[in-house]
Coordinates of all heavy atoms in Angstrom, one line a residue:
M1 N -38.0 -112.8 27.3 CA -37.8 -114.1 26.8 C -36.8 -114.9 27.6 O -35.7 -114.8 27.6 CB -37.3 -114.1 25.4 CG -38.5 -114.0 24.3 SD -38.1 -115.0 22.9 CE -36.7 -113.9 22.2
S2 N -37.3 -115.9 28.4 CA -36.4 -116.6 29.4 C -35.7 -117.7 28.6 O -34.7 -118.1 29.0 CB -37.3 -117.3 30.4 OG -38.3 -118.0 30.0
R3 N -36.2 -118.2 27.5 CA -35.6 -119.2 26.9 C -34.2 -118.8 26.2 O -33.4 -119.6 25.7 CB -36.4 -119.9 25.8 CG -36.6 -119.1 24.6 CD -37.4 -119.9 23.6 NE -37.7 -119.0 22.4 CZ -36.9 -118.9 21.3 NH1 -35.8 -119.6 21.2 NH2 -37.1 -118.1 20.3
A4 N -34.0 -117.5 26.1 CA -32.7 -117.0 25.6 C -31.5 -117.3 26.4 O -30.5 -117.3 26.1 CB -32.8 -115.6 25.3
R5 N -31.9 -117.5 27.8 CA -30.9 -117.7 28.8 C -30.7 -119.2 29.1 O -31.7 -119.9 29.3 CB -31.2 -117.0 30.0 CG -30.8 -115.6 30.1 CD -30.9 -115.0 31.4 NE -31.6 -113.6 31.3 CZ -31.3 -112.8 32.3 NH1 -30.6 -113.0 33.3 NH2 -31.7 -111.5 32.1
S6 N -29.6 -119.7 29.0 CA -29.3 -121.1 29.4 C -28.1 -121.0 30.3 O -27.6 -120.1 30.8 CB -29.1 -121.9 28.2 OG -28.1 -121.4 27.4
Y7 N -27.7 -122.3 30.6 CA -26.7 -122.4 31.8 C -25.8 -123.6 31.3 O -26.1 -124.6 30.8 CB -27.6 -123.0 33.0 CG -26.9 -123.1 34.2 CD1 -26.3 -122.0 34.9 CD2 -26.7 -124.3 34.8 CE1 -25.8 -122.1 36.1 CE2 -26.0 -124.5 36.0 CZ -25.6 -123.4 36.7 OH -25.0 -123.6 37.8
V8 N -24.5 -123.2 31.3 CA -23.5 -124.2 30.9 C -22.4 -124.6 32.0 O -22.2 -123.7 32.8 CB -22.8 -123.8 29.6 CG1 -23.6 -123.7 28.4 CG2 -22.1 -122.5 29.8
V9 N -21.9 -125.8 32.0 CA -20.9 -126.2 32.9 C -19.6 -126.6 32.2 O -19.8 -127.3 31.3 CB -21.3 -127.3 33.7 CG1 -20.2 -127.7 34.8 CG2 -22.6 -127.0 34.6
T10 N -18.6 -125.8 32.4 CA -17.3 -126.0 31.8 C -16.4 -126.7 32.7 O -16.5 -126.4 33.8 CB -16.8 -124.8 31.2 OG1 -16.6 -123.8 32.2 CG2 -17.7 -124.1 30.1
T11 N -15.5 -127.5 32.1 CA -14.4 -128.2 33.0 C -13.1 -127.6 32.6 O -12.6 -127.6 31.4 CB -14.6 -129.6 32.8 OG1 -16.0 -130.1 32.9 CG2 -13.8 -130.4 33.8
D12 N -12.3 -127.2 33.6 CA -10.9 -126.7 33.2 C -9.9 -127.8 33.2 O -10.3 -129.0 33.4 CB -10.6 -125.5 34.1 CG -10.3 -125.9 35.6 OD1 -10.2 -127.2 35.8 OD2 -10.3 -125.1 36.5
A13 N -8.7 -127.4 32.9 CA -7.6 -128.4 32.9 C -7.4 -129.3 34.1 O -7.0 -130.4 34.0 CB -6.2 -127.6 32.5
N14 N -7.8 -128.7 35.3 CA -7.6 -129.6 36.4 C -8.9 -130.4 36.8 O -9.0 -131.0 37.9 CB -7.4 -128.5 37.6 CG -6.2 -127.6 37.4 OD1 -5.1 -128.1 37.0 ND2 -6.4 -126.5 37.7
G15 N -9.8 -130.5 35.9 CA -11.0 -131.2 36.1 C -12.0 -130.5 37.0 O -13.1 -131.0 37.5
K16 N -11.8 -129.3 37.3 CA -12.7 -128.4 38.1 C -13.8 -127.9 37.2 O -13.6 -127.4 36.2 CB -11.8 -127.3 38.8 CG -12.6 -126.7 40.0 CD -11.6 -125.8 40.6 CE -12.1 -125.1 41.9 NZ -13.4 -124.3 41.7
K17 N -15.0 -128.0 37.8 CA -16.1 -127.6 37.0 C -16.4 -126.1 37.4 O -16.4 -125.6 38.5 CB -17.3 -128.4 37.5 CG -17.4 -129.8 36.7 CD -18.6 -130.5 37.0 CE -18.6 -131.9 36.2 NZ -19.6 -132.8 36.6
H18 N -16.8 -125.5 36.4 CA -17.1 -124.0 36.4 C -18.6 -123.8 35.8 O -18.8 -124.4 34.8 CB -16.1 -123.1 35.7 CG -14.8 -123.1 36.2 ND1 -14.4 -122.1 37.1 CD2 -13.7 -124.0 36.0 CE1 -13.1 -122.4 37.5 NE2 -12.7 -123.5 36.7
E19 N -19.4 -123.2 36.5 CA -20.7 -122.9 36.1 C -20.7 -121.5 35.4 O -20.1 -120.5 35.9 CB -21.6 -122.8 37.2 CG -21.9 -124.2 37.8 CD -22.5 -124.2 39.1 OE1 -22.8 -123.1 39.7 OE2 -22.7 -125.3 39.8
A20 N -21.3 -121.4 34.3 CA -21.4 -120.1 33.7 C -22.7 -119.9 33.0 O -23.5 -120.8 32.7 CB -20.3 -120.1 32.5
N21 N -23.1 -118.7 32.8 CA -24.3 -118.3 32.2 C -24.2 -118.3 30.6 O -23.1 -117.8 30.3 CB -24.9 -117.1 32.7 CG -25.5 -117.3 34.1 OD1 -26.3 -118.2 34.4 ND2 -25.1 -116.4 35.1
A22 N -25.1 -118.7 29.9 CA -25.0 -118.5 28.5 C -26.3 -117.9 28.0 O -27.3 -118.2 28.6 CB -24.8 -119.8 27.8
Y23 N -26.1 -117.2 26.9 CA -27.4 -116.6 26.4 C -27.2 -116.4 24.9 O -26.0 -116.4 24.4 CB -27.7 -115.1 27.1 CG -26.6 -114.2 26.9 CD1 -26.7 -113.3 25.9 CD2 -25.6 -114.0 27.9 CE1 -25.8 -112.3 25.7 CE2 -24.6 -113.0 27.8 CZ -24.7 -112.2 26.7 OH -23.7 -111.2 26.6
T24 N -28.3 -116.2 24.2 CA -28.2 -116.1 22.8 C -28.2 -114.6 22.5 O -29.2 -113.9 23.0 CB -29.3 -116.8 22.1 OG1 -29.5 -118.1 22.5 CG2 -29.2 -116.8 20.6
C25 N -27.3 -114.1 21.7 CA -27.3 -112.7 21.4 C -28.7 -112.4 20.5 O -28.9 -113.0 19.6 CB -26.0 -112.4 20.5 SG -26.1 -110.7 19.8
G26 N -29.3 -111.4 21.0 CA -30.6 -111.0 20.3 C -30.3 -110.3 19.0 O -31.3 -110.0 18.2
H27 N -29.1 -110.0 18.6 CA -28.8 -109.3 17.3 C -28.3 -110.4 16.3 O -28.7 -110.3 15.2 CB -27.9 -108.1 17.6 CG -28.5 -107.0 18.2 ND1 -27.9 -105.8 18.4 CD2 -29.8 -106.8 18.6 CE1 -28.6 -105.0 19.0 NE2 -29.8 -105.5 19.2
C28 N -27.3 -111.1 16.6 CA -26.6 -112.0 15.7 C -26.8 -113.5 16.1 O -26.3 -114.4 15.3 CB -25.1 -111.7 15.7 SG -24.2 -112.1 17.1
N29 N -27.6 -113.8 17.0 CA -28.0 -115.2 17.4 C -26.7 -116.0 17.9 O -26.9 -117.2 17.7 CB -28.7 -115.9 16.1 CG -30.2 -115.6 16.2 OD1 -30.7 -114.9 17.0 ND2 -30.9 -116.4 15.4
R30 N -25.7 -115.4 18.2 CA -24.6 -116.2 18.7 C -24.7 -116.5 20.1 O -25.4 -115.8 20.9 CB -23.4 -115.3 18.5 CG -22.0 -116.0 18.5 CD -20.9 -115.2 18.1 NE -20.5 -114.0 19.0 CZ -19.5 -113.4 18.9 NH1 -18.6 -113.5 17.9 NH2 -19.1 -112.5 19.8
I31 N -24.2 -117.7 20.5 CA -24.3 -118.1 21.9 C -23.0 -117.4 22.7 O -22.0 -117.5 22.2 CB -24.2 -119.6 22.1 CG1 -25.2 -120.3 21.3 CG2 -24.1 -120.0 23.5 CD1 -26.6 -120.2 21.9
V32 N -23.4 -116.7 23.7 CA -22.5 -116.0 24.4 C -22.3 -116.6 25.8 O -23.3 -116.8 26.5 CB -22.7 -114.5 24.5 CG1 -21.6 -113.7 25.2 CG2 -23.1 -114.0 23.2
V33 N -21.1 -116.9 26.2 CA -20.9 -117.6 27.5 C -20.4 -116.5 28.5 O -19.4 -115.9 28.0 CB -20.0 -118.8 27.5 CG1 -19.8 -119.4 29.0 CG2 -20.7 -119.9 26.7
T34 N -20.9 -116.2 29.6 CA -20.4 -115.4 30.5 C -20.0 -115.9 31.9 O -20.7 -116.8 32.2 CB -21.3 -114.2 30.8 OG1 -22.5 -114.7 31.4 CG2 -21.6 -113.4 29.6
D35 N -18.9 -115.5 32.5 CA -18.7 -115.9 33.9 C -19.3 -114.8 34.8 O -19.9 -113.8 34.3 CB -17.2 -116.2 34.1 CG -16.4 -115.0 33.8 OD1 -16.8 -113.9 34.0 OD2 -15.2 -115.3 33.2
R36 N -19.2 -115.1 36.1 CA -19.8 -114.1 37.0 C -19.2 -112.7 37.0 O -19.8 -111.7 37.4 CB -19.8 -114.8 38.4 CG -20.8 -115.8 38.5 CD -21.1 -116.3 40.0 NE -22.0 -117.3 40.0 CZ -21.6 -118.6 40.1 NH1 -20.3 -118.9 40.1 NH2 -22.4 -119.6 40.1
T37 N -17.9 -112.6 36.6 CA -17.3 -111.4 36.7 C -17.5 -110.5 35.5 O -17.5 -109.3 35.6 CB -15.7 -111.7 36.8 OG1 -15.3 -112.4 35.7 CG2 -15.3 -112.3 38.0
S38 N -17.9 -111.0 34.4 CA -18.1 -110.2 33.2 C -19.6 -109.9 33.1 O -20.4 -110.9 33.1 CB -17.6 -110.7 32.0 OG -18.1 -112.0 31.7
P39 N -20.1 -108.7 33.2 CA -21.4 -108.3 33.0 C -22.0 -108.7 31.6 O -21.2 -108.6 30.7 CB -21.5 -106.9 33.3 CG -20.2 -106.3 32.8 CD -19.2 -107.4 33.0
M40 N -23.2 -109.0 31.6 CA -24.0 -109.3 30.3 C -24.3 -107.8 29.7 O -24.6 -106.9 30.4 CB -25.2 -110.1 30.5 CG -25.0 -111.4 31.0 SD -26.5 -112.4 30.9 CE -26.6 -112.9 32.6
S41 N -24.2 -107.8 28.4 CA -24.5 -106.6 27.7 C -25.9 -106.7 27.2 O -26.4 -107.7 26.7 CB -23.7 -106.5 26.5 OG -22.4 -106.7 26.8
G42 N -26.7 -105.6 27.3 CA -28.1 -105.6 26.9 C -28.2 -104.4 25.9 O -27.6 -103.3 26.1
C43 N -29.1 -104.6 24.9 CA -29.3 -103.5 24.0 C -30.3 -102.6 24.6 O -31.3 -103.0 25.2 CB -29.9 -104.0 22.7 SG -30.4 -102.7 21.5
R44 N -30.1 -101.3 24.6 CA -30.9 -100.3 25.2 C -32.3 -100.1 24.3 O -33.2 -99.7 24.8 CB -30.3 -99.0 25.3 CG -29.6 -98.9 26.6 CD -28.5 -97.8 26.6 NE -27.5 -98.1 25.7 CZ -26.6 -97.3 25.1 NH1 -26.8 -96.0 25.3 NH2 -25.7 -97.6 24.4
M45 N -32.1 -100.4 23.0 CA -33.3 -100.3 22.2 C -34.3 -101.4 22.1 O -35.5 -101.2 22.1 CB -32.9 -100.0 20.7 CG -32.5 -98.5 20.7 SD -31.5 -98.1 19.1 CE -29.9 -98.3 19.6
C46 N -33.9 -102.7 22.1 CA -34.7 -103.8 22.0 C -34.7 -104.6 23.4 O -35.5 -105.6 23.5 CB -34.5 -104.7 20.9 SG -32.9 -105.5 20.9
T47 N -33.9 -104.1 24.2 CA -33.8 -104.8 25.6 C -33.4 -106.2 25.6 O -33.5 -106.9 26.6 CB -35.0 -104.5 26.6 OG1 -36.1 -105.4 26.0 CG2 -35.5 -103.1 26.5
K48 N -32.9 -106.7 24.5 CA -32.5 -108.1 24.5 C -30.9 -108.2 24.9 O -30.2 -107.1 24.8 CB -32.4 -108.6 22.9 CG -33.9 -109.1 22.6 CD -33.9 -109.5 21.1 CE -35.3 -109.9 20.8 NZ -35.5 -110.0 19.3
L49 N -30.5 -109.3 25.3 CA -29.1 -109.5 25.7 C -28.4 -109.7 24.4 O -28.8 -110.4 23.6 CB -29.0 -110.8 26.6 CG -29.6 -110.7 28.0 CD1 -29.6 -112.0 28.6 CD2 -28.8 -109.8 28.8
I50 N -27.3 -109.0 24.3 CA -26.5 -109.1 23.1 C -25.0 -109.3 23.4 O -24.6 -109.2 24.6 CB -26.6 -107.7 22.3 CG1 -26.1 -106.4 23.1 CG2 -28.0 -107.5 21.7 CD1 -26.1 -105.2 22.3
C51 N -24.2 -109.8 22.4 CA -22.9 -110.1 22.6 C -21.9 -108.9 22.6 O -22.4 -107.8 22.0 CB -22.4 -111.0 21.6 SG -22.3 -110.3 19.9
P52 N -20.8 -108.9 23.1 CA -19.8 -107.8 23.3 C -19.6 -107.1 21.9 O -19.6 -105.8 21.9 CB -18.6 -108.3 23.8 CG -19.0 -109.6 24.6 CD -20.1 -110.1 23.7
S53 N -19.5 -107.9 20.8 CA -19.2 -107.2 19.5 C -20.5 -106.4 19.0 O -20.3 -105.4 18.4 CB -18.8 -108.3 18.5 OG -19.7 -109.2 18.2
C54 N -21.6 -106.9 19.2 CA -22.9 -106.2 18.9 C -23.0 -105.0 19.8 O -23.3 -103.9 19.3 CB -24.0 -107.0 18.9 SG -24.2 -108.3 17.7
D55 N -22.6 -105.1 21.0 CA -22.6 -104.1 22.0 C -21.8 -102.9 21.5 O -22.1 -101.7 21.5 CB -22.2 -104.5 23.3 CG -22.5 -103.5 24.4 OD1 -23.6 -102.7 24.4 OD2 -21.7 -103.4 25.4
Q56 N -20.6 -103.2 21.0 CA -19.6 -102.3 20.6 C -20.0 -101.5 19.3 O -19.9 -100.3 19.1 CB -18.3 -103.0 20.1 CG -17.1 -102.6 21.0 CD -16.0 -103.6 20.9 OE1 -15.7 -104.1 19.9 NE2 -15.2 -103.6 22.0
R57 N -20.8 -102.3 18.5 CA -21.4 -101.6 17.4 C -22.3 -100.5 17.6 O -22.4 -99.5 17.0 CB -22.0 -102.7 16.5 CG -21.8 -102.4 14.9 CD -22.5 -103.4 14.1 NE -21.9 -104.7 14.4 CZ -22.7 -105.9 14.3 NH1 -24.1 -105.8 13.9 NH2 -22.3 -107.0 14.6
G58 N -23.0 -100.7 18.7 CA -23.9 -99.6 19.2 C -25.2 -99.3 18.5 O -25.9 -98.4 18.9
S59 N -25.6 -100.2 17.5 CA -26.8 -100.0 16.8 C -27.7 -101.2 17.1 O -27.2 -102.3 17.4 CB -26.5 -99.8 15.3 OG -26.0 -100.9 14.8
C60 N -28.9 -101.0 16.9 CA -29.9 -102.1 17.1 C -30.3 -102.7 15.8 O -31.2 -102.1 15.0 CB -31.1 -101.6 17.8 SG -32.3 -103.0 18.1
T61 N -29.7 -103.8 15.3 CA -30.1 -104.5 14.2 C -30.3 -106.0 14.5 O -29.4 -106.7 14.3 CB -29.1 -104.3 13.0 OG1 -28.9 -102.9 12.9 CG2 -29.7 -104.7 11.6
P62 N -31.5 -106.2 15.1 CA -31.7 -107.7 15.4 C -31.5 -108.6 14.2 O -31.9 -108.2 13.1 CB -33.1 -107.8 16.0 CG -33.4 -106.4 16.4 CD -32.6 -105.5 15.5
F63 N -31.3 -109.8 14.4 CA -31.2 -110.8 13.4 C -32.4 -111.0 12.5 O -32.4 -110.9 11.3 CB -30.9 -112.2 14.0 CG -30.6 -113.3 13.0 CD1 -29.5 -113.4 12.3 CD2 -31.5 -114.3 12.9 CE1 -29.2 -114.3 11.3 CE2 -31.4 -115.3 12.0 CZ -30.1 -115.4 11.3
E64 N -33.6 -111.1 13.2 CA -34.9 -111.3 12.4 C -35.1 -110.0 11.5 O -35.6 -110.1 10.4 CB -36.0 -111.4 13.4 CG -35.9 -112.6 14.3 CD -35.2 -112.4 15.5 OE1 -34.8 -111.1 15.8 OE2 -34.9 -113.3 16.3
R65 N -34.7 -108.9 12.1 CA -35.0 -107.6 11.4 C -34.2 -107.5 10.1 O -34.6 -107.2 9.1 CB -34.7 -106.4 12.3 CG -35.0 -105.0 11.7 CD -36.5 -104.6 12.0 NE -36.7 -103.4 11.2 CZ -37.4 -103.4 10.1 NH1 -37.8 -104.4 9.5 NH2 -37.7 -102.2 9.4
R66 N -32.9 -107.9 10.2 CA -32.0 -108.0 9.2 C -32.6 -108.8 8.0 O -32.5 -108.5 6.8 CB -30.7 -108.4 9.6 CG -29.7 -107.4 9.9 CD -28.3 -107.7 9.6 NE -27.9 -108.9 10.3 CZ -27.1 -108.9 11.4 NH1 -26.9 -107.9 12.1 NH2 -26.8 -110.0 11.9
M67 N -33.2 -110.0 8.3 CA -33.7 -110.9 7.3 C -34.9 -110.2 6.7 O -35.1 -110.3 5.5 CB -34.2 -112.2 8.0 CG -33.1 -112.9 8.7 SD -31.8 -113.5 7.5 CE -32.6 -114.9 6.7
E68 N -35.8 -109.4 7.5 CA -36.9 -108.8 6.9 C -36.4 -107.7 5.9 O -37.1 -107.6 4.8 CB -37.7 -108.1 8.0 CG -38.7 -108.9 8.7 CD -39.3 -108.3 10.0 OE1 -39.4 -107.2 9.9 OE2 -39.5 -109.0 10.9
I69 N -35.5 -107.0 6.2 CA -35.0 -105.9 5.5 C -34.4 -106.5 4.1 O -34.7 -106.0 3.0 CB -33.8 -105.1 6.1 CG1 -34.4 -104.3 7.3 CG2 -33.1 -104.2 5.1 CD1 -33.3 -103.8 8.2
A70 N -33.7 -107.5 4.2 CA -33.2 -108.2 2.9 C -34.4 -108.7 2.1 O -34.2 -108.6 0.8 CB -32.2 -109.4 3.3
E71 N -35.3 -109.2 2.7 CA -36.4 -109.8 2.0 C -37.3 -108.7 1.2 O -37.6 -108.8 0.1 CB -37.4 -110.5 3.0 CG -37.8 -111.9 2.5 CD -38.6 -112.7 3.6 OE1 -39.7 -112.3 4.0 OE2 -37.9 -113.5 4.2
A72 N -37.5 -107.6 2.0 CA -38.3 -106.5 1.5 C -37.5 -105.9 0.3 O -38.1 -105.5 -0.7 CB -38.4 -105.4 2.6
R73 N -36.1 -105.8 0.5 CA -35.3 -105.3 -0.7 C -35.5 -106.1 -1.9 O -35.6 -105.7 -3.1 CB -33.9 -105.2 -0.1 CG -33.2 -104.0 -0.6 CD -31.8 -103.9 -0.1 NE -31.8 -103.2 1.1 CZ -30.8 -103.4 2.1 NH1 -29.9 -104.2 1.9 NH2 -30.9 -102.6 3.2
A74 N -35.4 -107.4 -1.7 CA -35.6 -108.4 -2.8 C -36.9 -108.3 -3.5 O -37.1 -108.3 -4.7 CB -35.4 -109.8 -2.4
R75 N -38.0 -108.1 -2.7 CA -39.3 -107.9 -3.2 C -39.4 -106.7 -4.0 O -40.0 -106.8 -5.1 CB -40.4 -107.9 -2.0 CG -41.2 -109.1 -1.9 CD -42.5 -108.9 -1.1 NE -42.2 -108.2 0.1 CZ -42.0 -108.9 1.2 NH1 -41.9 -110.3 1.3 NH2 -41.7 -108.2 2.4
S76 N -39.0 -105.6 -3.5 CA -39.1 -104.3 -4.3 C -38.4 -104.4 -5.6 O -38.7 -103.7 -6.6 CB -38.7 -103.2 -3.4 OG -37.5 -103.2 -3.1
R77 N -37.3 -105.1 -5.6 CA -36.4 -105.3 -6.8 C -37.2 -105.9 -7.8 O -37.2 -105.7 -9.0 CB -35.2 -106.0 -6.4 CG -34.0 -105.6 -7.4 CD -32.7 -106.1 -6.9 NE -32.2 -105.4 -5.8 CZ -31.4 -106.1 -4.8 NH1 -31.1 -107.4 -5.0 NH2 -31.0 -105.4 -3.8
R78 N -37.9 -107.1 -7.4 CA -38.7 -107.8 -8.3 C -39.8 -107.0 -8.9 O -40.1 -107.2 -10.1 CB -39.2 -109.2 -7.6 CG -38.4 -110.3 -7.7 CD -39.0 -111.6 -7.3 NE -39.7 -111.6 -6.0 CZ -39.1 -112.0 -5.0 NH1 -37.8 -112.5 -5.0 NH2 -39.6 -112.0 -3.8
S79 N -40.6 -106.3 -8.0 CA -41.7 -105.5 -8.5 C -41.3 -104.4 -9.4 O -42.1 -103.9 -10.3 CB -42.4 -104.9 -7.3 OG -41.6 -103.9 -6.7
M80 N -40.1 -104.0 -9.4 CA -39.5 -103.0 -10.4 C -39.1 -103.6 -11.6 O -38.7 -103.0 -12.6 CB -38.4 -102.1 -9.7 CG -38.8 -101.2 -8.7 SD -37.4 -100.1 -8.2 CE -36.5 -101.2 -7.2
G81 N -39.0 -105.0 -11.6 CA -38.7 -105.6 -12.9 C -37.2 -105.7 -13.2 O -36.8 -105.9 -14.3
V82 N -36.4 -105.5 -12.1 CA -35.0 -105.5 -12.3 C -34.4 -106.9 -12.1 O -34.7 -107.6 -11.1 CB -34.2 -104.5 -11.3 CG1 -32.7 -104.6 -11.5 CG2 -34.8 -103.1 -11.5
Ligands
LIG1 ZN1 -24.3 -110.3 18.5
LIG2 ZN1 -31.3 -104.3 19.9

């Protein structure tokens, strides 16, 4: 998915422009800005780019999947009449 990657330009206190890559975390949908020195983290299970905190968690729970799980849970609860 190429649209997950974008490009941002930040300006520091001296008015100097810095170019940085930005991407959307495939797990929590957060925008992550990286400079050239810090490597991007990728999930080994879904191969999406993910943020450092999701990377640290070490499990693959994409945002969309979490919504599905919550929905399925609500559905089964309703069908049981609870
Ligand atoms: Zn994340
Ligand atoms: Zn993943």
Side-chain angles (χ1 to χ4, degrees):
M1 270 217 291
S2 58
R3 76 175 174 92
R5 275 186 219 211
S6 55
Y7 187 68
V8 292
V9 178
T10 55
T11 312
D12 69 15
N14 303 316
K16 197 173 184 296
K17 279 182 180 169
H18 293 269
E19 290 164 359
N21 287 310
Y23 61 93
T24 309
C25 172
H27 285 183
C28 69
N29 272 13
R30 195 164 73 167
I31 304 289
V32 187
V33 178
T34 59
D35 52 41
R36 287 196 183 93
T37 55
S38 60
M40 293 189 237
S41 316
C43 176
R44 270 162 292 158
M45 279 170 267
C46 67
T47 68
K48 280 178 179 166
L49 292 169
I50 55 172
C51 69
S53 61
C54 285
D55 189 37
Q56 241 166 34
R57 215 178 307 147
S59 67
C60 178
T61 313
F63 183 72
E64 299 90 7
R65 184 86 190 103
R66 269 212 300 267
M67 300 299 284
E68 273 172 38
I69 292 167
E71 229 170 72
R73 216 174 271 158
R75 249 202 310 273
S76 66
R77 205 172 289 153
R78 268 199 301 273
S79 68
M80 284 189 290
V82 179

